[in-house]
Amino acid sequence: MHRLRYLIGTLTLLAAIAGAFWMVRLLRNLDQLPGMALQVEFREARGLRAGADVRFRGVTVGTVRAVTIAKDGGKAVAHVVLQPHAAGHACVNSAFWIVTPRFAGLTDGATGLDTLVRDSYLAFHTPGERGSPLVAGSLLAGRERPPALAETEALEPVGHGDLLMSLLVPENHGLRAGSTVFFRGMPTGDVRSVELAPTGTHVEVTLRIARKHRQTVTDKSVFWVARPYVSGALFSGFTVGDVGSLLSPYVSYYSAPGVGAPVTDGYRAAARTSRPEAEPAAVPNEALRQTERAREPVADDVVTVAITYTAVERDTWSPDDPIHRQGNGLLFLDRAGRAIVVTARSLVDGAFTETDVFGGDPDVDEEQIKVQLAGGSVHRAGRVWVDPNGADLAALVLDDVPPDLICTPAAKLSFDAAGIAGAVELRASGPNGLPLAAEPQLPAAPGEKLGGAVCSGGRAVGILGARPEPVQVVPLANVPADLRPQ
Amino acid sequence: MSEQHGPALVFRKFGLAHRRPDGEDVLLADVDLELPTHGFYAFVGASGGGKSSLLRILAGLVETREPAPKMSGELLAWGEPVTEEHPESLRDQVAAILQDEGLLDELTTRENVELALRAADRSPKLAAGLLAQVGLEHAPARPAQLSGGMRKRLAVARALAQSPRLLLCDEPTAGLDAEAARTIAKLLREAHDQDAQRTTLVITHDLDAFAGIADGVLVLDRQQRTLRLERRDYQPSPAENVRRSGAVQAGEPAAVHALRRLLLRLAAIGETVMESLRRLPPFELGLVLRTVARCVCEPILFVAIAGAVIGGLSTFFALKNNPVHGGFESSLLTGTGKVATAVLVPLLTGFFFTARMVAGAAARLGTMKRTNQIAALQTMGIRPADYLLTPLVWGMVVAMPLVTLAGVVAASAAGFLAARVVSGFTTVGWATAWFASVDPRDMLVVLAKTTLSGYLIAVTCYHLGTGPKRSGAEVGEAVNRAIVVGMALVLAVHAGLTFLVYA
């Protein structure tokens, strides 16, 4: 009994000493954490404390190790360690700022409200055009306020078929990127940017009108920037209108029904200084000259795209296996105007093809699907649908579709399973996205033509799959109705 | 030697009285007597007449924390007065077999004899011979397993280990049947005859057992308040065994008596503290190391579990019941970490340690006191402080910081688990926040707090445990008091040092 007591006591003591050593080592190692150390200077630390998060796109990617005062006393310096995998996102043109609650007046609203109930944290943003990556130990100047909305890419992306036009106003009355555009009081689009014209004679406001509302804009439409107004007379009473613009200014327009012709992208219009009842202000005539006309999207045939799929299959007991596949897909617009790529599921779904050593579900991670169009541009794509019945068929949605996207017209698609009967030909794109010559018969092995469009009678009727047969025509009839064109 | 044939004990105008709150109880007055050397004397007299008191005076076992018996005249042992302070020269010349034998329960039968041999600077190898001499060569290993007769024999063997000139025995045949009593009496006589210089004085109520063995009978006459030496065939008359009533005389006033007791108590505290510092160098190194191991091993798991519960629950509830749900979690964890590691867990560890260790140690010391084990140590010439206090001080001073470390580590580990479960903290995130405001100074303060409180509770434990114990209830009372005072001291040390350092 005594021996047991001494044994337990000694083991507990040893465990305690080992635990203490572990904690001391952990604390010492905190100063030598793996990752990239940076110093960011601010005029004021704004409640930033050691241990605060560093976030990139809202994800914690590092820690503030210490907040000190610069030697000369002129700045507060945040000592930051970015996790190794996130170090590449910090570039020389990245903007660092401290997220605290901020009220930027009535027009800009409030930001960082989460830090009312959480500790302040450090955030950074890297613009789309990245500079060269930062090196460890860099000393950066932090921003005292968050970058503007447009810089953080918080605006809705410009979708396929949206109207992009310029509105010229004599003077900006609080419009900013993100302000709303109204038609008959209904939001139809937003302001993309507000810039002073190079000549300084006016302000150019770029507007995006959503695809389904673009017909409301004609060459006879009247635009104005809403400002509160008072109308009426002493005896008839007063009316106060557009009060909402006091808080957030907006653009409004009006088109008389049946008047005017639809406009194309790049259309330029002059805005009045007030509602249409008021006298329109003068805009120099030369400013109204249209600078560029966008190409009309031309589509008269089956359009295929090149697809690259990369992922990593994680194994517990063996090194991770990288997955890299090249293939094809059929591009068209669905009823909501989204750019859909129908392809073979065996091409774009690692979990569908990979098998785990022990027969369980494979652990596929870091999936990335990229689609290269014939024009050479590369876009990210998301996998939105796979055939629930196990057919080798999947649908992708493209991100950031250019307004001038060329895709297969509805007339060139056949969602009828019976259409496969008869002679077929294979349409596919090369790895560069450019279409290859049509092949009169199916190849012996799919290779990089996996997911290519199988056509019959000039219309796409299916795609080239690899399951269950090595070469398989999967009919488009399996695609659900909401992913088909109208 | 010149005193070889001189008297062993000389009483000159010797008087003895107990100090009581209601007056003085006079036991002896104007005793003039000489006890020749090499006599074997049976010492008889009515109960409560002062036989044991006299024996304790001769053995140097007068209780220092209570008013000592009032003595007058002279009492000389081989010419040395023993009335004031027990002379150092007599310490290894007098052996006493006390009523409860005072066998050390923690040692084996053989070790009890060996300890006495070592204390007398004799070879421990002689133990086997001494045990054989008293017929205990095949005795059980533990004193607790010995019968009443065997215990007496072991006590005789241990007393003989000191090879004393004066052997004092208090009721060695009490509780034994006539045959066993006679055996013990014969054993004592044999032991007495071994050494030509030995004088033996045996308190007994059983003169029959010593019939033909004792050279003379020393009679304490309660009526006459005197001592007289009778021949070996003396038989007391029944009247002599009756305690005379009304012996109490007016003594010092009650207030003076109370003040004397109070001052003695205060002096005793000072004496214990001084003794703890003076005897700090470990005299019994093996005993000290064993005590350190015991003080660490016994409470550490208990404290670690308690620390884990405190650290885990406080973190869990701090994060879970956060009024700003999910907000300021790092700050909350920093606060919890600082409070837990620097203040709360060390304090509660002190309490747990006190509850777990002080109770055991105080009960052990109290029992040793009550069963004359401490007195036995004294008669062997061992300072109880060396044997009991020094190991306890070292044990608790070393153990307290180590046990606190275990508590803090367990609390931190449980805090980490709680933070991970409730808010998904990573190891690094937790460590950054938990230890954010804990600095080396905090750890030094914790070390100081634990070391100081360890020392104080060790001294408290010893002081209260070894105080006078007339009954088992007093042992229990001492344990109770040791826990309360120990915890109060822990609290005072923590509060005081925290205030001094952080305020």
Side-chain angles (χ1 to χ4, degrees), chain B residues 47 64 75 97 181 197 221 225 254 268 316 337 358 413 430 446 482 489:
Chain B
S47 294
T64 53
L75 172 54
I97 299 169
Q197 292 186 33
D221 190 335
R225 295 174 187 159
F316 180 85
V358 167
W430 166 79
V446 169
L489 284 172

Side-chain angles (χ1 to χ4, degrees), chain B residues 421-464:
Chain B
V421 169
V422 178
S423 304
F425 272 90
T426 61
T427 319
V428 169
W430 166 79
T432 310
W434 185 264
F435 293 110
S437 61
V438 179
D439 52 33
R441 189 184 67 155
D442 294 326
M443 294 299 107
L444 280 181
V445 172
V446 169
L447 182 69
K449 283 176 183 173
T450 50
T451 312
L452 184 57
S453 44
Y455 168 76
L456 288 178
I457 61 173
V459 170
T460 305
C461 204
Y462 176 82
H463 183 76
L464 294 173

Side-chain angles (χ1 to χ4, degrees), chain A residues 369-382:
Chain A
I369 306 172
K370 287 193 174 167
V371 170
Q372 190 165 24
L373 305 178
S377 59
V378 177
H379 301 267
R380 277 168 184 273

Side-chain angles (χ1 to χ4, degrees), chain A residues 208-461:
Chain A
R208 176 191 72 98
I209 307 296
R211 177 169 167 261
K212 63 179 179 181
H213 299 301
R214 68 180 289 160
Q215 80 281 358
T216 59
V217 180
T218 67
D219 55 0
K220 300 289 187 223
S221 297
V222 179
F223 288 85
W224 70 96
V225 180
R227 297 165 73 182
Y229 67 93
V230 180
S231 63
L234 191 60
F235 298 108
S236 60
F238 294 100
T239 306
V240 183
D242 288 352
V243 182
S245 60
L246 251 183
L247 295 180
S248 55
Y250 55 86
V251 173
S252 198
Y253 64 95
Y254 177 71
S255 314
V259 179
V263 299
T264 55
D265 281 352
Y267 173 67
R268 295 168 78 82
R272 301 181 176 208
T273 48
S274 59
R275 288 181 72 88
E277 291 83 7
E279 192 66 23
V283 168
N285 278 335
E286 59 270 24
L288 290 170
R289 197 172 59 240
Q290 194 163 331
T291 49
E292 189 192 350
R293 285 184 74 92
R295 268 186 306 146
E296 285 286 331
V298 181
D300 53 1
D301 203 355
V302 174
V303 176
T304 55
V305 293
I307 299 174
T308 310
Y309 174 81
T310 56
V312 174
E313 199 229 333
R314 303 227 182 270
D315 287 315
T316 312
W317 306 111
S318 56
D320 298 341
D321 300 323
I323 305 172
H324 181 89
R325 294 204 200 107
Q326 287 263 336
N328 263 272
L330 170 66
L331 176 66
F332 56 86
L333 295 180
D334 72 352
R335 61 173 60 171
R338 293 184 299 173
I340 301 289
V341 175
V342 173
T343 183
R345 186 182 173 188
S346 55
L347 173 64
V348 292
D349 189 359
F352 185 59
T353 51
E354 299 300 314
T355 48
D356 193 68
V357 181
F358 297 105
D361 287 335
D363 187 6
V364 176
D365 204 1
E366 297 181 17
E367 288 188 293
Q368 251 189 17
I369 306 172
K370 287 193 174 167
V371 170
Q372 190 165 24
L373 305 178
S377 59
V378 177
H379 301 267
R380 277 168 184 273
R383 188 177 60 237
V384 294
W385 176 85
V386 293
D387 193 310
N389 301 318
D392 195 4
L393 193 64
L396 315 176
V397 168
L398 289 197
D399 263 0
D400 287 335
V401 183
D404 54 352
L405 180 73
I406 299 171
C407 46
T408 314
K412 290 286 181 184
L413 297 168
S414 168
F415 291 93
D416 187 359
I420 300 181
V424 294
E425 59 172 1
L426 181 64
R427 306 278 186 90
S429 294
N432 52 5
L434 291 173
L436 301 171
E439 289 184 24
Q441 60 196 37
L442 300 183
E448 294 191 352
K449 297 198 174 73
L450 179 64
V454 177
C455 302
S456 176
R459 297 168 73 187
V461 292

